[in-house]
Amino acid sequence: METTIQEQELLAKANEVTALLAEGKFIEAMENYLADDVQLFEGNNPAKVGKEFCLAEEKKLLDTVTAFHGYKVTSGPAVKGDTTFYEAVMEFTTDDGTDHRFEQVVRTQWKDGKISNERYYHA
């Protein structure tokens, strides 16, 4: 199945986002790619709504991180229509000494070149 030009552009954007995440540049990725009215979901939790709110929440989390061990895409990204998908592993340590490892699938819907809706499925 051949990808459309729009799908190719979304794959490029997804690769740009994951490259920033791999460098630990979570805030930069969010500032550059989140739509103002974005909805972010962690599993089945209620959505975090709005770019500014999501940025504030991410900064609170990052303030607790004492060591970033990596964000690695293990599969993808793939694209279908306005949606990209990929699998990744994220690892970090927080200031309470806890090591965190999240294996996740990320489903991202795009609108006008920005992330409008994203859900993280964790294991």
Side-chain angles (χ1 to χ4, degrees):
M1 183 182 296
E2 195 169 314
T3 58
T4 67
I5 291 173
Q6 176 193 359
E7 289 173 332
Q8 291 172 12
E9 290 171 356
L10 291 183
L11 275 177
K13 287 187 180 295
N15 282 318
E16 291 166 11
V17 170
T18 58
L20 288 170
L21 299 178
E23 295 177 26
K25 296 180 178 178
F26 294 92
I27 299 301
E28 184 176 335
M30 294 173 78
E31 287 174 339
N32 290 340
Y33 291 97
L34 293 185
D36 289 339
D37 59 350
V38 68
Q39 294 184 26
L40 299 181
F41 296 85
E42 294 278 344
N44 291 326
N45 294 321
K48 296 177 196 169
V49 180
K51 181 178 182 176
E52 292 307 315
F53 178 75
C54 292
L55 278 165
E57 290 296 299
E58 189 72 9
K59 288 175 183 175
K60 282 185 210 174
L61 171 64
L62 292 174
D63 283 345
T64 70
V65 174
T66 56
F68 174 68
H69 306 295
Y71 189 96
K72 181 179 179 187
V73 173
T74 57
S75 180
V79 63
K80 178 67 176 168
D82 67 352
T83 305
T84 57
F85 307 86
Y86 67 90
E87 291 181 67
V89 176
M90 177 173 56
E91 296 179 281
F92 59 92
T93 304
T94 49
D95 55 12
D96 63 359
T98 303
D99 289 325
H100 300 269
R101 176 182 170 91
F102 292 99
E103 296 180 28
Q104 59 188 12
V105 173
V106 181
R107 188 269 306 141
T108 307
Q109 291 177 304
W110 298 82
K111 183 178 178 185
D112 300 325
K114 299 286 185 179
I115 296 169
S116 63
N117 187 297
E118 190 163 71
R119 185 178 300 262
Y120 312 99
Y121 298 92
H122 298 287

